[in-house]
């Protein structure tokens, strides 16, 4: 069946450095991918999304890269800040937004 | 998220009792979802709704039922709670081909 996973369960970075969080997916038919951030005690917060007709999309301090050939998704955070400390999920889905498959998450810790 | 309210935020109950969780949205989005989140698992879909009175099962629907009598409200019911249903429950909303947005969750403990 479908699966969405993460290469690293935890990631520690120095404040000011760039962070890269990776995600592998199995369903090559999916055409919509999302990154979420979840802080302790809160619900997942939408960060950025990308559709399968794109390879890269940029937001404010974040970039998502999609490599369909190897079914790999990554989230890059520039100049990581203490407020970026959280768990990050990738999600894979179809056209209508339902039945998304979520990865278990990567915890990002920002060191002072 | 200001547009999604889950209630209660915390609940402790006993095995065998019925439990209803409520999700209320002010965004008028068509789709609403219930997920559970457990350690070691990603979010898992319980049920979702694609309109008033239109619902369907997700990956882990056994032991749960839902109802959507109004666009803004989506209820999740555990008819007879079991300890395996101890979890954090999240409601989400979306429009077609748009990302899901989540509430802040309900922490449910079943003793």
């Amino acid at each position: 069946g479908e699966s969405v996973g993460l290469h690293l369960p935890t990631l520690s970075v120095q404040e000011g450095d760039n962070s890269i969080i990776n995600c592998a997916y199995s369903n090559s038919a999916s055409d919509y991918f999302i990154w979420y951030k979840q802080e302790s005690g809160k619900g997942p917060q939408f960060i950025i999304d990308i559709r399968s007709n794109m390879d890269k999309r940029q937001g404010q301090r974040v970039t998502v890269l999609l490599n369909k050939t190897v079914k790999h998704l990554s989230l890059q955070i520039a100049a990581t800040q203490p407020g970026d400390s959280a768990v990050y999920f990738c999600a894979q889905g179809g056209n209508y937004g339902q039945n998304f498959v979520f990865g278990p998450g990567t915890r990002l810790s920002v060191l002072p | 998220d200001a547009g999604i309210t889950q209630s209660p935020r915390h609940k402790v109950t006993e095995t065998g009792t019925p439990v209803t969780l409520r999700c209320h949205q002010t965004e008028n989005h068509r789709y609403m979802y219930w997920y559970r989140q457990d350690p070691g698992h990603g979010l898992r879909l319980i049920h979702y709704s694609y309109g008033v009175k239109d619902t369907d099962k997700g990956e882990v629907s056994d032991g749960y039922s839902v109802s959507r009598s109004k666009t803004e409200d989506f209820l999740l019911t555990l008819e007879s709670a079991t300890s395996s249903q101890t979890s954090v429950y999240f409601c989400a909303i979306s429009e077609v081909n748009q990302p899901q947005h989540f509430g802040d969750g309900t922490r449910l403990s079943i003793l």
Side-chain angles (χ1 to χ4, degrees), chain B residues 43-60:
Chain B
L43 289 160
R44 292 182 291 174
L45 182 66
I46 304 171
H47 283 279
Y48 68 97
S49 169
Y50 45 96
V52 173
K53 296 186 180 177
D54 290 324
T55 65
D56 206 349
K57 296 179 179 180
E59 176 188 357
V60 291

PDB file of all heavy atoms in Angstrom, chain B residues 43-60:
ATOM      1  N   LEU B  43      -0.306  10.610  11.215  1.00  0.00           N
ATOM      2  CA  LEU B  43      -1.742  10.827  11.345  1.00  0.00           C
ATOM      3  C   LEU B  43      -2.487   9.761  10.539  1.00  0.00           C
ATOM      4  O   LEU B  43      -2.145   9.496   9.382  1.00  0.00           O
ATOM      5  CB  LEU B  43      -2.112  12.210  10.817  1.00  0.00           C
ATOM      6  CG  LEU B  43      -1.655  13.384  11.677  1.00  0.00           C
ATOM      7  CD1 LEU B  43      -1.627  14.657  10.852  1.00  0.00           C
ATOM      8  CD2 LEU B  43      -2.588  13.538  12.864  1.00  0.00           C
ATOM      9  N   ARG B  44      -3.506   9.180  11.148  1.00  0.00           N
ATOM     10  CA  ARG B  44      -4.284   8.153  10.472  1.00  0.00           C
ATOM     11  C   ARG B  44      -5.737   8.593  10.375  1.00  0.00           C
ATOM     12  O   ARG B  44      -6.342   8.983  11.376  1.00  0.00           O
ATOM     13  CB  ARG B  44      -4.171   6.811  11.200  1.00  0.00           C
ATOM     14  CG  ARG B  44      -2.773   6.207  11.124  1.00  0.00           C
ATOM     15  CD  ARG B  44      -2.699   4.861  11.810  1.00  0.00           C
ATOM     16  NE  ARG B  44      -2.830   4.976  13.251  1.00  0.00           N
ATOM     17  CZ  ARG B  44      -2.921   3.936  14.084  1.00  0.00           C
ATOM     18  NH1 ARG B  44      -2.918   2.713  13.587  1.00  0.00           N
ATOM     19  NH2 ARG B  44      -3.023   4.125  15.385  1.00  0.00           N
ATOM     20  N   LEU B  45      -6.276   8.463   9.188  1.00  0.00           N
ATOM     21  CA  LEU B  45      -7.623   8.942   8.907  1.00  0.00           C
ATOM     22  C   LEU B  45      -8.659   7.977   9.479  1.00  0.00           C
ATOM     23  O   LEU B  45      -8.625   6.776   9.203  1.00  0.00           O
ATOM     24  CB  LEU B  45      -7.815   9.106   7.405  1.00  0.00           C
ATOM     25  CG  LEU B  45      -9.149   9.651   6.941  1.00  0.00           C
ATOM     26  CD1 LEU B  45      -9.320  11.097   7.397  1.00  0.00           C
ATOM     27  CD2 LEU B  45      -9.261   9.554   5.420  1.00  0.00           C
ATOM     28  N   ILE B  46      -9.615   8.529  10.218  1.00  0.00           N
ATOM     29  CA  ILE B  46     -10.680   7.716  10.806  1.00  0.00           C
ATOM     30  C   ILE B  46     -11.917   7.739   9.898  1.00  0.00           C
ATOM     31  O   ILE B  46     -12.402   6.708   9.439  1.00  0.00           O
ATOM     32  CB  ILE B  46     -11.057   8.240  12.206  1.00  0.00           C
ATOM     33  CG1 ILE B  46      -9.826   8.281  13.119  1.00  0.00           C
ATOM     34  CG2 ILE B  46     -12.142   7.352  12.831  1.00  0.00           C
ATOM     35  CD1 ILE B  46     -10.079   8.984  14.440  1.00  0.00           C
ATOM     36  N   HIS B  47     -12.432   8.927   9.676  1.00  0.00           N
ATOM     37  CA  HIS B  47     -13.562   9.148   8.764  1.00  0.00           C
ATOM     38  C   HIS B  47     -13.395  10.519   8.140  1.00  0.00           C
ATOM     39  O   HIS B  47     -12.718  11.379   8.692  1.00  0.00           O
ATOM     40  CB  HIS B  47     -14.897   9.151   9.521  1.00  0.00           C
ATOM     41  CG  HIS B  47     -15.420   7.812   9.924  1.00  0.00           C
ATOM     42  ND1 HIS B  47     -16.106   6.987   9.066  1.00  0.00           N
ATOM     43  CD2 HIS B  47     -15.380   7.174  11.113  1.00  0.00           C
ATOM     44  CE1 HIS B  47     -16.473   5.898   9.713  1.00  0.00           C
ATOM     45  NE2 HIS B  47     -16.037   5.974  10.954  1.00  0.00           N
ATOM     46  N   TYR B  48     -14.065  10.712   7.017  1.00  0.00           N
ATOM     47  CA  TYR B  48     -14.103  12.045   6.455  1.00  0.00           C
ATOM     48  C   TYR B  48     -15.485  12.317   5.874  1.00  0.00           C
ATOM     49  O   TYR B  48     -16.289  11.398   5.688  1.00  0.00           O
ATOM     50  CB  TYR B  48     -13.006  12.255   5.403  1.00  0.00           C
ATOM     51  CG  TYR B  48     -13.164  11.456   4.140  1.00  0.00           C
ATOM     52  CD1 TYR B  48     -13.742  12.017   3.009  1.00  0.00           C
ATOM     53  CD2 TYR B  48     -12.704  10.142   4.066  1.00  0.00           C
ATOM     54  CE1 TYR B  48     -13.876  11.284   1.847  1.00  0.00           C
ATOM     55  CE2 TYR B  48     -12.840   9.407   2.908  1.00  0.00           C
ATOM     56  CZ  TYR B  48     -13.419   9.984   1.804  1.00  0.00           C
ATOM     57  OH  TYR B  48     -13.547   9.247   0.647  1.00  0.00           O
ATOM     58  N   SER B  49     -15.735  13.590   5.606  1.00  0.00           N
ATOM     59  CA  SER B  49     -17.022  14.001   5.052  1.00  0.00           C
ATOM     60  C   SER B  49     -16.784  14.895   3.852  1.00  0.00           C
ATOM     61  O   SER B  49     -15.915  15.779   3.876  1.00  0.00           O
ATOM     62  CB  SER B  49     -17.830  14.761   6.106  1.00  0.00           C
ATOM     63  OG  SER B  49     -18.952  15.381   5.524  1.00  0.00           O
ATOM     64  N   TYR B  50     -17.562  14.675   2.807  1.00  0.00           N
ATOM     65  CA  TYR B  50     -17.438  15.496   1.603  1.00  0.00           C
ATOM     66  C   TYR B  50     -18.680  16.340   1.368  1.00  0.00           C
ATOM     67  O   TYR B  50     -18.899  16.838   0.268  1.00  0.00           O
ATOM     68  CB  TYR B  50     -17.100  14.631   0.377  1.00  0.00           C
ATOM     69  CG  TYR B  50     -17.909  13.375   0.247  1.00  0.00           C
ATOM     70  CD1 TYR B  50     -19.046  13.329  -0.549  1.00  0.00           C
ATOM     71  CD2 TYR B  50     -17.532  12.205   0.910  1.00  0.00           C
ATOM     72  CE1 TYR B  50     -19.783  12.166  -0.683  1.00  0.00           C
ATOM     73  CE2 TYR B  50     -18.275  11.040   0.788  1.00  0.00           C
ATOM     74  CZ  TYR B  50     -19.400  11.024  -0.006  1.00  0.00           C
ATOM     75  OH  TYR B  50     -20.132   9.867  -0.116  1.00  0.00           O
ATOM     76  N   GLY B  51     -19.485  16.460   2.396  1.00  0.00           N
ATOM     77  CA  GLY B  51     -20.657  17.320   2.354  1.00  0.00           C
ATOM     78  C   GLY B  51     -21.601  16.947   3.473  1.00  0.00           C
ATOM     79  O   GLY B  51     -21.404  15.932   4.169  1.00  0.00           O
ATOM     80  N   VAL B  52     -22.658  17.752   3.635  1.00  0.00           N
ATOM     81  CA  VAL B  52     -23.642  17.466   4.673  1.00  0.00           C
ATOM     82  C   VAL B  52     -24.240  16.079   4.432  1.00  0.00           C
ATOM     83  O   VAL B  52     -24.670  15.762   3.318  1.00  0.00           O
ATOM     84  CB  VAL B  52     -24.737  18.544   4.675  1.00  0.00           C
ATOM     85  CG1 VAL B  52     -25.854  18.164   5.639  1.00  0.00           C
ATOM     86  CG2 VAL B  52     -24.155  19.894   5.059  1.00  0.00           C
ATOM     87  N   LYS B  53     -24.192  15.272   5.450  1.00  0.00           N
ATOM     88  CA  LYS B  53     -24.712  13.897   5.458  1.00  0.00           C
ATOM     89  C   LYS B  53     -23.961  12.957   4.529  1.00  0.00           C
ATOM     90  O   LYS B  53     -24.395  11.812   4.330  1.00  0.00           O
ATOM     91  CB  LYS B  53     -26.214  13.892   5.141  1.00  0.00           C
ATOM     92  CG  LYS B  53     -27.026  14.619   6.195  1.00  0.00           C
ATOM     93  CD  LYS B  53     -28.523  14.503   5.962  1.00  0.00           C
ATOM     94  CE  LYS B  53     -29.260  15.262   7.059  1.00  0.00           C
ATOM     95  NZ  LYS B  53     -30.732  15.261   6.858  1.00  0.00           N
ATOM     96  N   ASP B  54     -22.847  13.404   3.980  1.00  0.00           N
ATOM     97  CA  ASP B  54     -22.015  12.542   3.128  1.00  0.00           C
ATOM     98  C   ASP B  54     -20.710  12.247   3.840  1.00  0.00           C
ATOM     99  O   ASP B  54     -19.874  13.150   4.024  1.00  0.00           O
ATOM    100  CB  ASP B  54     -21.728  13.240   1.793  1.00  0.00           C
ATOM    101  CG  ASP B  54     -22.953  13.357   0.922  1.00  0.00           C
ATOM    102  OD1 ASP B  54     -23.780  12.415   0.949  1.00  0.00           O
ATOM    103  OD2 ASP B  54     -23.079  14.374   0.230  1.00  0.00           O
ATOM    104  N   THR B  55     -20.538  10.998   4.251  1.00  0.00           N
ATOM    105  CA  THR B  55     -19.332  10.619   4.975  1.00  0.00           C
ATOM    106  C   THR B  55     -18.795   9.305   4.419  1.00  0.00           C
ATOM    107  O   THR B  55     -19.517   8.553   3.744  1.00  0.00           O
ATOM    108  CB  THR B  55     -19.606  10.454   6.481  1.00  0.00           C
ATOM    109  OG1 THR B  55     -20.494   9.359   6.696  1.00  0.00           O
ATOM    110  CG2 THR B  55     -20.194  11.721   7.079  1.00  0.00           C
ATOM    111  N   ASP B  56     -17.542   9.035   4.731  1.00  0.00           N
ATOM    112  CA  ASP B  56     -16.930   7.785   4.278  1.00  0.00           C
ATOM    113  C   ASP B  56     -15.853   7.378   5.271  1.00  0.00           C
ATOM    114  O   ASP B  56     -15.364   8.191   6.058  1.00  0.00           O
ATOM    115  CB  ASP B  56     -16.335   7.949   2.881  1.00  0.00           C
ATOM    116  CG  ASP B  56     -16.266   6.630   2.138  1.00  0.00           C
ATOM    117  OD1 ASP B  56     -16.480   5.560   2.762  1.00  0.00           O
ATOM    118  OD2 ASP B  56     -15.987   6.651   0.926  1.00  0.00           O
ATOM    119  N   LYS B  57     -15.520   6.086   5.228  1.00  0.00           N
ATOM    120  CA  LYS B  57     -14.558   5.543   6.167  1.00  0.00           C
ATOM    121  C   LYS B  57     -13.131   5.826   5.734  1.00  0.00           C
ATOM    122  O   LYS B  57     -12.822   5.903   4.544  1.00  0.00           O
ATOM    123  CB  LYS B  57     -14.753   4.031   6.292  1.00  0.00           C
ATOM    124  CG  LYS B  57     -16.092   3.622   6.871  1.00  0.00           C
ATOM    125  CD  LYS B  57     -16.204   2.115   6.937  1.00  0.00           C
ATOM    126  CE  LYS B  57     -17.540   1.699   7.538  1.00  0.00           C
ATOM    127  NZ  LYS B  57     -17.679   0.220   7.623  1.00  0.00           N
ATOM    128  N   GLY B  58     -12.276   5.930   6.740  1.00  0.00           N
ATOM    129  CA  GLY B  58     -10.852   6.037   6.486  1.00  0.00           C
ATOM    130  C   GLY B  58     -10.143   4.761   6.859  1.00  0.00           C
ATOM    131  O   GLY B  58     -10.750   3.684   6.942  1.00  0.00           O
ATOM    132  N   GLU B  59      -8.868   4.883   7.114  1.00  0.00           N
ATOM    133  CA  GLU B  59      -8.005   3.742   7.368  1.00  0.00           C
ATOM    134  C   GLU B  59      -8.335   3.010   8.668  1.00  0.00           C
ATOM    135  O   GLU B  59      -8.217   1.780   8.747  1.00  0.00           O
ATOM    136  CB  GLU B  59      -6.548   4.235   7.417  1.00  0.00           C
ATOM    137  CG  GLU B  59      -5.505   3.211   7.771  1.00  0.00           C
ATOM    138  CD  GLU B  59      -4.130   3.834   7.990  1.00  0.00           C
ATOM    139  OE1 GLU B  59      -3.982   5.066   7.809  1.00  0.00           O
ATOM    140  OE2 GLU B  59      -3.205   3.096   8.371  1.00  0.00           O
ATOM    141  N   VAL B  60      -8.751   3.743   9.710  1.00  0.00           N
ATOM    142  CA  VAL B  60      -8.928   3.152  11.035  1.00  0.00           C
ATOM    143  C   VAL B  60     -10.316   3.474  11.577  1.00  0.00           C
ATOM    144  O   VAL B  60     -10.464   4.030  12.662  1.00  0.00           O
ATOM    145  CB  VAL B  60      -7.815   3.616  12.009  1.00  0.00           C
ATOM    146  CG1 VAL B  60      -6.484   3.024  11.626  1.00  0.00           C
ATOM    147  CG2 VAL B  60      -7.732   5.135  12.063  1.00  0.00           C
TER     148      VAL B  60
END
